[in-house]
Amino acid sequence: MEISEPITLDHTDLHLLNLLQADASQSNQALAEQVHVSPPTCLRRVKRLHEVGLIERQVALLQPDRLAAVQGHGLACIVEVSLDRQDAQALDAFEAHAVAHPAVQQCWRVSPGPDFILVAHTRDMPGYLALSQQLFTGDANVRNVKAFFSTKRAKFSTAIPVQAR
């Protein structure tokens, strides 16, 4: 998203962003009460935060331990990927391939070190093997892959700290 003009936020906007990051399922009435504005004003402000692109999307976060009871624990992994060629076209091509794969939850271009860090979640080790064959083995430009498998999730958050200056 291209930002064409600066976005001005006041204390109420910042408070709304924090509240929505904690629980976006709250009713407009509940949000309005917490930020001390009328419900129509609150709705207008939240709509503006969406329109200016500060709120990218709203999703449901699944609880992995509860989901494990239904379909097994799955396999979470963090993968470092280094490419042979790092020209813009090669980086863009790998990135497009990685983000299109449903098992890839996050894809980061990083520097220094590897070219990409991927966070992926597969059903099991055969699922990871399939992912690695599709993304790494089948790509002649992938030089090195180093995978780290999660044994415990100590913290997980999607919140970005938002505070008044």
Side-chain angles (χ1 to χ4, degrees):
M1 164 176 238
E2 189 176 310
I3 300 174
S4 56
E5 59 185 64
I7 301 167
T8 305
L9 301 175
D10 63 15
H11 178 73
T12 301
D13 293 322
L14 297 172
H15 195 183
L16 279 168
L17 288 171
N18 279 319
L19 290 169
L20 290 168
Q21 285 190 98
D23 183 3
S25 70
Q26 293 183 71
S27 70
N28 182 59
Q29 180 72 34
L31 285 171
E33 288 174 12
Q34 292 175 76
V35 297
H36 309 291
V37 296
S38 70
T41 298
C42 184
L43 191 60
R44 197 169 37 254
R45 282 175 173 260
V46 171
K47 184 178 179 203
R48 178 181 163 267
L49 294 171
H50 277 278
E51 288 170 351
V52 299
L54 282 169
I55 298 174
E56 184 176 334
R57 64 181 173 215
Q58 291 176 236
V59 298
L61 298 176
L62 304 182
Q63 210 299 327
D65 291 336
R66 299 286 294 171
L67 187 59
V70 177
Q71 69 171 30
H73 279 281
L75 186 65
C77 56
I78 298 163
V79 185
E80 294 181 357
V81 180
S82 298
L83 304 180
D84 269 332
R85 294 179 325 279
Q86 288 87 16
D87 58 89
Q89 185 177 356
L91 291 167
D92 289 345
F94 180 81
E95 181 180 295
H97 192 52
V99 300
H101 198 289
V104 175
Q105 294 176 312
Q106 297 177 43
C107 176
W108 298 83
R109 276 194 203 188
V110 296
S111 179
D115 298 305
F116 291 91
I117 299 288
L118 306 179
V119 176
H121 196 94
T122 61
R123 186 175 187 91
D124 49 24
M125 190 54 80
Y128 175 76
L129 178 60
L131 167 76
S132 66
Q133 288 174 336
Q134 293 164 10
L135 290 184
F136 316 134
T137 309
D139 188 334
N141 192 36
V142 174
R143 178 176 22 108
N144 189 42
V145 175
K146 190 173 184 180
F148 303 88
F149 299 97
S150 172
T151 58
K152 177 184 175 189
R153 183 174 91 171
K155 180 180 180 179
F156 174 81
S157 176
T158 59
I160 297 173
V162 177
Q163 41 192 287
R165 295 177 213 178

